[in-house]
Amino acid sequence: MVYDQSGKILVDTRTNNDNNFINTYTHLLDDNHKPAQTIKINNNIHIHEGYLNGLSLLEVDAKIITEDKFWGTIRYILSRKNLEVQIEQSKQLLRSHLLQNLLVSVSFVILLLTITIIIGTISLRNVVLIPIAKLLNCVRSISSGAANISIKLKNSPPELTELSNAIILMNDTISERNRSLHELNAHLSQAHDKLEQRVKERTAELFLTTEKLKKSNQELEQFAYIASHDLQEPLRKIRAFSDRLQSRCGAALDSEGLDYMQRMINASTRMQTLINELLHYSRLTTKARPFQPVALSSLIKEVLEDLEVRIEENHAHIEVHDLPTIIADPLQIRQLFQNLISNALKFQRPQVEPLIIIKNIHNENDTDFYNIEVKDNGIGFEMKYTERIFGLFQRLHGRSAYEGTGMGLAICRKIVERHEGTITATSEPGFGTTFLIRFPSQQFTAIENQEQKEVQNGEYNDSNG
Amino acid sequence: MADDDEEDRLLTKEAFKEARLNNELRFVEDGQELLDYLNHHGNYSNINANPLPDLILLDLNMPRMDGREALKEIKADPDLRHIPVVLLTTSKEEEDIIRSYNDGGNSFIVKPVSFSALIEVVIAINKYWFEIVKLPR
């Protein structure tokens, strides 16, 4: 197209492609832009191909001639790429338009989605999370001990409503149980306090009683000691002066006088022996020594050595079987067996050689105790006296039959009892006697130590008394 | 001899007589009197009339001052400690025996129960301390 300065189209040029020939017709336009005249343009086309910035160029020179008038030459420079570029450009434009459209729609969708999510979150929060939070608070307050709770849920799904109801029910149950537990606890506390009170009272009573007993025990022992000790002195005088009388003035006495004299002397001698034994008996606990392991077999062997003379004289036979080691006061245990064996020798059957058997009886059911038997074949005694023989100064025979003060077995029993054991006797007249001594296999040394302390205190009091 | 018991003093005197021993015997009744005698105080100021003994028989249990105290004092005194002291007492307490020897007592004898035994003791004391043993002059 050719325009004039004011923009009016002067030349309307149209081209139509016909292989490589370009027929150009040009129309002259009138003032109304209507084609006035058609001019055929010279087909002199110079096509130059060239490159401008990489673009293929087509240069077309067209001479404009009308009826002998030479108007001029129009040079067309066509660039292939331009077109392509233009096409590209239009494509791109279209693409970018498309992209823009896409972007817009995507943003729109995203916006929509966001809104949806926001709305969804908000409703989730309101419908589910907030009620759940309320329920959580309730459960927390239940676990921290609140008894009464109420849950108000609005607009919550039925499941949550059921849940809150269930929680309320659970809370009620828990409160109920708590209440009964508390009651029980209170009862128990009360009962416990009462019991403790009673125990305290009883313990105090017991303690008082024990103290009283201990005191009276101590007093008794002191009394026995002092009595026997102080009784010795006049006795000594009686004996001494009886002796003097006998030797100095014996000649002046007739046979009856001498007889009386002798009986007096014998009596005072017996009294002295009695007092000595009583003294000895009373000291079995005050002068007791601490416990230590005592091998019974070797201890009894020593006792037999001490009694050797008497054993030989009586043609006695003594069997000692395997004996255990016990925790005991060695001196006292020695005395125990000395007394028992002495007795067995003393109370022999006339014309029958004494046979004494000492052995340990194993008892499967009685592992807490050692059971030691001292069995003789002497005169025996009637079972109705089986307790009496252990009494103080108790004798079953007259003085003329068998000598002795009747203290031997009392001392045995006291010794055995001090060791937390027991001693019993079984017998048949004419056949012999069996003594059974039970020793605990374990001594409670704690109690012994306590006793030792008391004994030592008692000892101190004695020598000052 | 220091002993508060009149009969014990008498019996000892008799025992010496029965044993036909002519040791000179002097008697005091308690620890204080014994010390007065040994230190020539009071009634015993005359040294010639009251010579120091060659042997002291000492009872433990006496009033005023007992044998235990007297023993300590005698053995603490440089002028008196050379005199042998034989405790002659009724007590057979282990504690008394130990203490007596610890305090310097020379022997410890428990008063015998019978008179004949007393005679034997007296004879033995005499034989031991005056015949067998050498005493300082």
Side-chain angles (χ1 to χ4, degrees):
Chain A
M1 299 279 214
V2 178
Y3 294 90
D4 72 0
Q5 292 143 297
S6 62
K8 265 205 274 189
I9 297 171
L10 277 175
V11 181
D12 183 1
T13 331
R14 268 171 241 190
T15 59
N16 60 347
N17 288 336
D18 191 11
N19 295 331
N20 287 326
F21 292 103
I22 298 170
N23 296 322
T24 7
Y25 296 92
T26 303
H27 303 280
L28 286 171
L29 297 174
D30 63 12
D31 289 319
N32 294 331
H33 297 278
K34 298 254 172 16
Q37 203 179 340
T38 305
I39 308 167
K40 186 175 179 193
I41 297 181
N42 195 342
N43 278 343
N44 241 352
I45 301 174
H46 295 282
I47 301 175
H48 304 282
E49 279 200 25
Y51 284 91
L52 177 69
N53 292 340
L55 298 169
S56 279
L57 291 174
L58 207 65
E59 204 176 77
V60 179
D61 285 329
K63 291 192 175 112
I64 311 274
I65 301 166
T66 63
E67 293 170 353
D68 305 326
K69 272 197 193 139
F70 176 68
W71 287 81
T73 309
I74 304 174
R75 173 174 277 174
Y76 300 96
I77 300 177
L78 304 169
S79 131
R80 204 187 289 149
K81 280 299 175 189
N82 254 350
L83 270 170
E84 289 180 357
V85 169
Q86 272 186 357
I87 292 173
E88 269 307 311
Q89 278 185 346
S90 335
K91 274 198 203 158
Q92 271 185 1
L93 207 63
L94 193 70
R95 240 184 269 141
S96 70
H97 277 158
L98 273 173
L99 209 67
Q100 264 186 349
N101 277 349
L102 196 68
L103 275 168
V104 168
S105 32
V106 166
S107 332
F108 190 66
V109 168
I110 287 177
L111 189 68
L112 228 66
L113 262 160
T114 311
I115 292 177
T116 314
I117 287 175
I118 288 176
I119 292 179
T121 313
I122 290 178
S123 37
L124 184 76
R125 200 168 148 268
N126 283 341
V127 174
V128 177
L129 292 183
I130 288 185
I132 288 186
K134 278 199 194 146
L135 285 174
L136 179 66
N137 275 339
C138 284
V139 171
R140 279 210 181 118
S141 61
I142 290 177
S143 54
S144 63
N148 288 322
I149 52 146
S150 56
I151 310 174
K152 291 203 191 89
L153 296 175
K154 38 190 176 184
N155 312 327
S156 48
E159 288 88 347
L160 284 181
T161 314
E162 273 187 44
L163 179 63
S164 75
N165 287 340
I167 288 180
I168 291 179
L169 191 66
M170 181 189 77
N171 181 50
D172 287 337
T173 318
I174 290 180
S175 301
E176 196 48 51
R177 279 202 211 139
N178 266 359
R179 223 171 296 139
S180 34
L181 269 176
H182 272 151
E183 270 183 40
L184 237 117
N185 219 18
H187 278 162
L188 214 68
S189 247
Q190 255 188 355
H192 182 258
D193 286 336
K194 272 196 207 146
L195 204 70
E196 262 202 41
Q197 186 59 29
R198 244 184 260 157
V199 167
K200 266 195 208 147
E201 286 170 14
R202 288 289 160 77
T203 314
E205 280 174 23
L206 273 172
F207 184 72
L208 265 172
T209 314
T210 319
E211 289 296 303
K212 277 196 206 148
L213 277 172
K214 268 198 241 174
K215 190 158 176 255
S216 87
N217 239 16
Q218 264 182 344
E219 282 176 356
L220 277 170
E221 280 171 358
Q222 258 191 346
F223 174 77
Y225 173 79
I226 291 171
S228 7
H229 192 262
D230 290 343
L231 285 172
Q232 300 271 20
E233 187 264 322
L235 208 50
R236 228 171 10 94
K237 302 297 169 56
I238 293 174
R239 286 200 63 193
F241 286 109
S242 314
D243 275 349
R244 285 312 276 135
L245 198 61
Q246 201 179 43
S247 43
R248 272 289 211 79
C249 317
L253 290 171
D254 62 353
S255 61
E256 267 176 3
L258 285 170
D259 181 39
Y260 298 154
M261 190 83 261
Q262 191 56 49
R263 286 178 197 275
M264 265 173 60
I265 291 176
N266 291 346
S268 57
T269 311
R270 275 200 308 281
M271 184 159 176
Q272 198 136 46
T273 314
L274 273 168
I275 291 178
N276 276 333
E277 302 225 327
L278 193 63
L279 196 62
H280 181 70
Y281 180 82
S282 76
R283 284 168 166 199
L284 284 175
T285 42
T286 55
K287 296 289 175 186
R289 282 168 182 70
F291 284 11
Q292 39 178 289
V294 175
L296 284 177
S297 299
S298 41
L299 179 125
I300 292 184
K301 226 166 67 167
E302 287 174 20
V303 169
L304 294 179
E305 275 168 16
D306 287 343
L307 295 171
E308 212 177 329
V309 174
R310 273 183 71 190
I311 293 173
E312 277 215 31
E313 278 176 5
N314 290 291
H315 307 286
H317 214 70
I318 309 187
E319 268 178 40
V320 182
H321 295 213
D322 227 11
L323 294 173
T325 298
I326 58 173
I327 312 290
D329 180 340
L331 208 67
Q332 287 187 351
I333 299 299
R334 195 195 194 105
Q335 173 145 51
L336 167 71
F337 283 100
Q338 192 156 359
N339 282 8
L340 288 174
I341 298 172
S342 251
N343 272 4
L345 291 172
K346 181 161 64 173
F347 292 105
Q348 57 177 286
R349 262 187 283 161
Q351 317 302 333
V352 176
E353 284 183 357
L355 169 65
I356 307 171
I357 304 172
I358 307 173
K359 64 184 185 201
N360 180 24
I361 314 271
H362 287 286
N363 192 340
E364 294 299 309
N365 304 330
D366 195 13
T367 49
D368 290 335
F369 283 90
Y370 295 119
N371 293 291
I372 298 173
E373 223 181 49
V374 178
K375 190 186 172 80
D376 68 51
N377 63 349
I379 54 174
F381 58 84
E382 286 174 67
M383 280 304 284
K384 63 181 180 187
Y385 298 124
T386 190
E387 273 305 303
R388 207 171 127 192
I389 53 173
F390 290 104
L392 270 175
F393 299 127
Q394 294 295 331
R395 300 165 50 84
L396 295 179
H397 308 275
R399 232 181 330 115
S400 45
Y402 297 97
E403 52 94 18
T405 53
M407 287 288 293
L409 286 176
I411 290 178
C412 288
R413 177 160 272 181
K414 189 115 197 254
I415 290 177
V416 169
E417 278 173 4
R418 191 194 159 227
H419 289 75
E420 311 277 338
T422 56
I423 179 167
T424 48
T426 41
S427 184
E428 209 189 319
F431 287 93
T433 309
T434 306
F435 286 94
L436 178 64
I437 311 158
R438 298 179 78 225
F439 274 112
S441 44
Q442 282 165 313
Q443 287 295 346
F444 297 104
T445 45
I447 299 178
E448 277 310 318
N449 288 339
Q450 182 57 32
E451 241 181 273
Q452 289 321 306
K453 288 201 189 110
E454 286 168 81
V455 161
Q456 276 153 23
N457 288 340
E459 207 169 304
Y460 184 77
N461 285 337
D462 270 352
S463 60
N464 283 349
Chain B
M1 179 183 194
D3 198 322
D4 63 318
D5 190 310
E6 189 196 328
E7 274 133 10
D8 278 332
R9 294 199 297 268
L10 176 62
L11 285 169
T12 308
K13 199 159 158 198
E14 292 282 301
F16 270 93
K17 217 158 80 175
E18 277 295 309
R20 297 181 216 295
L21 299 167
N22 7 345
N23 311 75
E24 198 189 325
L25 295 172
R26 300 287 172 100
F27 293 96
V28 291
E29 293 183 28
D30 59 49
Q32 188 57 58
E33 231 195 295
L34 176 62
L35 285 172
D36 286 344
Y37 183 100
L38 295 171
N39 289 319
H40 307 293
H41 285 158
N43 296 338
Y44 306 103
S45 37
N46 189 337
I47 297 181
N48 291 331
N50 303 295
L52 285 181
D54 299 304
L55 180 75
I56 299 176
L57 295 174
L58 185 57
D59 186 17
L60 279 180
N61 296 314
M62 295 184 289
R64 216 160 42 134
M65 187 197 287
D66 70 0
R68 301 170 186 89
E69 258 194 77
L71 176 64
K72 281 198 199 136
E73 287 215 27
I74 293 172
K75 291 301 174 182
D77 189 331
D79 295 325
L80 301 173
R81 57 150 68 110
H82 66 276
I83 306 175
V85 176
V86 172
L87 282 329
L88 185 61
T89 176
T90 48
S91 164
K92 49 184 192 256
E93 296 290 322
E94 200 56 45
E95 214 185 309
D96 279 332
I97 300 178
I98 294 173
R99 218 191 276 176
S100 305
Y101 280 108
N102 268 345
D103 291 338
N106 297 78
S107 317
F108 191 100
I109 300 179
V110 177
K111 279 185 194 166
V113 283
S114 71
F115 185 70
S116 40
L118 183 60
I119 298 180
E120 286 174 33
V121 165
V122 150
I123 294 177
I125 287 177
N126 182 67
K127 183 162 180 126
Y128 182 79
W129 288 103
F130 297 124
E131 292 179 29
I132 297 175
V133 160
K134 293 273 177 263
L135 291 177
R137 270 287 141 225

